[in-house]
């Protein structure tokens, strides 16, 4: 049965609801999302030039890790702030902070300063990601939300394809500092559009002075930093069972317990207890956490597979992955035709079931195979995940009023980001373990991939052995990703209500 449509009384008024005013705001949202999306990929191809100029080869991975950490741990904080003070001031502050970070990155004088300034960028990026998604839900009623979500998905798709190419061109023909400087005109246009055209609904004056949960924000931030640092650096900078890993994980667990106590006592907690007490939100958080987990397989390991096993160049390997980013937004845009008929949960179940079958099919590909075979699977995977993710995001945003939508959206994005970090750590260990078993000694997928960059320098038998080892490692990673998809399916079937309790017509208790 179809979920009831949202009404203004149920979800709160939407800012800039008039179609004439939505266009500039949507443009601002897409530009803002583009800043956050492309920044995760544009730096990758410029790393040799950056290292050659600034040095710091041993710590360059923190250019990505530092940004990811800052984005992830600030999502819950910005979500709560947007519910408390409104979306517009949080988004404006995020854009300004991101642009300041970009300008500082362009002026970095060594690798340590660049990493620090990337963290500043990430602090702004956290506000961009969560607040843009929340405003998108505010702007459109339930039936029209797939339109804006599909546009935002297309921004991520375009960034995944264009980011590495743009980074390589700027680093090769201009200077790597332009990678950060080009953010300034884009960000300034987005900032002007937001300030000029985003009109939020009138907020009723609070009966008492708003109390910001600074202690909770600090606890959430610190716990996230320790946990994600352990996940990102474990098995890379130090062994998993070493003192740094155990110390960080232990510290994260202890601080996590302190965070729970602080949040229970806070008048306005950063992460309210209802985020996990409500079945719908808890189920979507867990399901999208599993999505973050499984996405590591195609985004991190498929390019290595395409280059090391299929022998493709970087551009062709990127194309094998990019087909997924083409089918995803198309599927997402069409998903409303499904969930308006069968409901949010069943639509997501259909999507994740399709993704599970695709992920299970990957290890069945022949060795070495043809490039069109994994490309076809990625095309199907993107279509399935578009049908899975968007109904869950739209559905969960429609179950909460305006004053809770920022916190809810941030919790969903936070869980997805944490899932990605966990997936990178777990599947990296799985891949290296398979390589160690196949080749003997310590397995290192990155080192093996670099060796296969020049296969002519190796004996044919050795090249074949190494390629088969990489193929086996990636197969096991995809099996692990299939396990994550099965976990998401189990969560939807056992925890998610059959009908999401959408506010508005016929809204009621969860079933």
């Amino acid at each position: 049965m179809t979920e009831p449509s949202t009404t203004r009384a149920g979800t709160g008024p939407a800012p800039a609801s008039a179609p004439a005013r939505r266009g500039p705001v949507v443009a601002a949202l897409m530009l803002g999302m583009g800043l956050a999306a492309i920044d995760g990929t544009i730096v990758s191809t410029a790393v040799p030039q950056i290292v050659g100029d600034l040095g710091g080869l041993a710590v360059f991975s923190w250019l990505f890790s530092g940004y990811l950490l800052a984005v992830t741990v600030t999502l819950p904080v910005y979500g709560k702030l947007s519910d408390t003070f409104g979306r517009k001031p949080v988004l404006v502050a995020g854009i300004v902070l991101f642009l300041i970070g970009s300008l500082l990155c362009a002026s970095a004088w060594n690798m340590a300063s660049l990493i620090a300034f990337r963290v500043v960028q990430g602090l702004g990026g956290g506000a961009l990601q969560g607040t843009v998604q929340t405003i998108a839900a505010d702007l459109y009623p339930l039936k029209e939300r797939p339109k804006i979500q599909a546009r935002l998905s297309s921004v991520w798709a375009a960034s995944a394809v264009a980011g590495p190419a743009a980074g390589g061109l700027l680093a090769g023909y201009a200077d790597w500092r332009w990678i950060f400087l080009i953010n300034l005109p884009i960000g300034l246009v987005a900032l002007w559009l937001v300030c000029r055209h985003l009109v939020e609904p009138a907020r009723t004056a609070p009966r008492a002075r708003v109390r910001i949960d600074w202690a909770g924000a600090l606890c959430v931030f610190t716990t996230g930093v320790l946990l994600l640092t352990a996940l990102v650096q474990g098995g890379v900078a130090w062994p998993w069972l070493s003192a740094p890993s155990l110390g960080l994980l232990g510290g994260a667990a202890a601080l996590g317990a302190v965070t729970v106590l602080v949040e229970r006592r806070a008048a306005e907690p950063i992460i309210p207890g209802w985020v996990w007490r409500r079945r719908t939100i808890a189920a979507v958080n867990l399901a999208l956490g599993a999505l973050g987990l499984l996405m590591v397989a195609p985004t991190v390991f498929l390019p290595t597979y395409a280059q090391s096993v299929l022998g493709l160049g970087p551009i062709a390997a990127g194309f094998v992955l990019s087909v997924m980013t083409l089918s995803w937004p198309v599927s997402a845009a069409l998903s409303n035709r499904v969930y308006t008929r069968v409901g949010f949960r069943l639509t997501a179940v259909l999507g994740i079931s399709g993704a599970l079958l695709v992920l299970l099919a990957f290890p069945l590909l022949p060795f070495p195979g043809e490039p069109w075979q994994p490309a076809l699977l990625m095309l199907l995977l993107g279509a399935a995940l578009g049908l899975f993710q968007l109904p869950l995001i739209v559905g969960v945003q429609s179950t909460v009023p305006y004053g809770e939508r920022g916190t809810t959206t941030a919790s969903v994005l936070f869980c997805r980001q944490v899932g990605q970090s966990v997936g990178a750590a777990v599947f990296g260990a799985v891949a290296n373990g398979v390589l160690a078993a196949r080749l003997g000694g310590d397995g290192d997928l990155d080192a093996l991939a670099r060796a296969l960059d020049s296969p002519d320098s190796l004996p044919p038998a050795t090249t074949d052995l190494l390629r088969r080892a990489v193929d086996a490692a990636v197969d096991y990673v995809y099996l692990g990703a299939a396990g994550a998809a099965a976990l998401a399916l189990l969560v939807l079937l056992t925890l998610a209500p059959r009908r999401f309790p959408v506010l508005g017509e016929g809204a009621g208790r969860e079933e």
Side-chain angles (χ1 to χ4, degrees):
M1 186 179 293
T2 306
E3 273 83 354
S5 60
T6 303
T7 64
R8 293 300 180 200
T11 58
S17 57
R21 306 192 67 154
R22 284 200 305 215
V25 177
V26 170
L29 296 184
M30 294 181 70
L31 288 173
M33 184 63 79
L35 286 174
I38 202 169
D39 212 72
T41 58
I42 195 171
V43 179
S44 58
T45 50
V47 166
Q49 288 80 7
I50 295 174
V51 171
D53 189 12
L54 302 181
L57 178 62
V59 294
F60 84 90
S61 63
W62 276 101
L63 290 177
F64 310 97
S65 301
Y67 181 83
L68 173 66
L69 284 170
V71 168
T72 304
V73 300
T74 54
L75 277 168
V77 178
Y78 287 127
K80 181 62 178 179
L81 292 177
S82 73
D83 282 341
T84 304
F85 299 105
R87 327 294 193 213
K88 186 172 182 177
V90 174
L91 182 57
V92 167
I95 295 175
V96 170
L97 195 55
F98 188 90
L99 295 182
I100 291 173
S102 299
L103 187 60
L104 291 173
C105 285
S107 63
W109 54 91
N110 57 30
M111 185 62 74
S113 64
L114 182 57
I115 290 171
F117 298 149
R118 283 281 286 171
V119 171
V120 175
Q121 260 193 319
L123 295 176
L128 288 173
Q129 286 197 27
T131 313
V132 164
Q133 292 278 9
T134 305
I135 295 174
D138 294 338
L139 280 173
Y140 288 86
L142 177 58
K143 290 183 179 180
E144 298 182 29
R145 274 180 205 157
K147 297 179 181 179
I148 181 62
Q149 291 291 349
R151 292 178 186 178
L152 295 178
S153 296
S154 67
V155 170
W156 282 98
S159 300
V161 177
L169 288 173
L170 289 171
Y173 295 98
D175 186 273
W176 63 264
R177 297 179 190 273
W178 280 101
I179 289 174
F180 303 104
L181 290 175
I182 62 170
N183 292 334
L184 299 181
I186 299 173
L188 289 173
V189 171
L191 185 63
W192 180 81
L193 289 172
V194 169
C195 294
R196 172 93 174 175
H197 296 285
L198 179 57
V199 180
E200 295 197 273
R203 304 177 67 85
T204 57
R207 296 179 182 178
R209 183 181 177 183
V210 176
R211 299 170 61 183
I212 303 176
D213 180 22
W214 294 116
L218 180 61
C219 287
V220 170
F221 184 88
T222 309
T223 302
V225 167
L226 293 181
L227 175 62
L228 293 178
T229 301
L231 294 174
V232 169
Q233 295 298 304
V236 179
W238 48 69
W240 279 109
L241 297 180
S242 64
S245 280
L246 296 177
L248 287 169
L249 291 172
L255 274 174
V258 172
T259 301
V260 171
L261 295 175
V262 170
E263 294 296 82
R264 282 183 175 180
R265 297 181 179 182
E268 294 289 339
I270 292 294
I271 303 181
W274 54 259
V275 167
W276 292 104
R277 286 195 298 267
R278 298 180 190 175
R279 284 178 58 195
T280 306
I281 302 176
V284 173
N285 282 344
L286 293 174
L288 291 188
L291 172 65
L293 193 69
L294 72 87
M295 280 301 297
V296 172
T299 57
V300 176
F301 290 90
L302 183 64
T304 300
Y305 171 88
Q307 294 182 67
S308 299
V309 178
L310 302 181
L312 302 179
I315 296 177
F319 175 77
V320 173
L321 174 61
S322 69
V323 293
M324 181 180 72
T325 66
L326 299 177
S327 59
W328 190 317
V330 174
S331 173
L334 298 176
S335 65
N336 67 320
R337 300 186 181 184
V338 182
Y339 70 65
T340 53
R341 290 175 171 80
V342 303
F344 293 117
R345 187 183 78 156
L346 184 54
T347 303
V349 165
L350 293 174
I352 198 63
S353 298
L356 174 60
L357 294 177
V358 172
L359 293 168
L360 288 174
F362 189 91
L364 302 179
L365 292 178
F367 174 87
E370 298 293 332
W372 68 265
Q373 295 167 332
L376 175 61
L377 290 183
M378 292 306 100
L379 187 72
L380 296 175
L381 183 63
L385 293 179
L387 203 61
F388 166 69
Q389 176 182 255
L390 188 132
L392 291 182
I393 293 178
V394 171
V396 77
Q397 288 176 330
S398 303
T399 65
V400 294
Y402 177 84
E404 295 178 351
R405 195 174 291 147
T407 299
T408 300
T409 303
S411 73
V412 169
L413 298 179
F414 176 77
C415 289
R416 190 179 66 186
Q417 292 281 85
V418 171
Q420 268 187 293
S421 298
V422 172
V426 171
F427 293 149
V430 168
N432 290 336
V434 172
L435 291 178
R438 290 281 180 133
L439 303 175
D442 295 327
D444 187 339
L445 184 61
D446 292 335
L448 203 56
R450 287 193 294 270
L452 288 170
D453 281 342
S454 304
D456 295 338
S457 62
L458 301 172
T462 302
T463 300
D464 183 70
L465 176 65
L466 296 181
R467 283 181 170 169
R468 288 183 180 276
V470 172
D471 178 65
V474 176
D475 284 348
Y476 274 95
V477 167
Y478 269 82
L479 288 176
L487 177 62
L489 179 61
L490 181 64
V491 166
L492 291 177
L493 293 176
T494 59
L495 182 59
R498 284 178 290 128
R499 293 182 60 208
F500 281 24
V502 174
L503 297 182
E505 300 170 7
R509 291 187 298 270
E510 298 179 357
E511 301 174 18

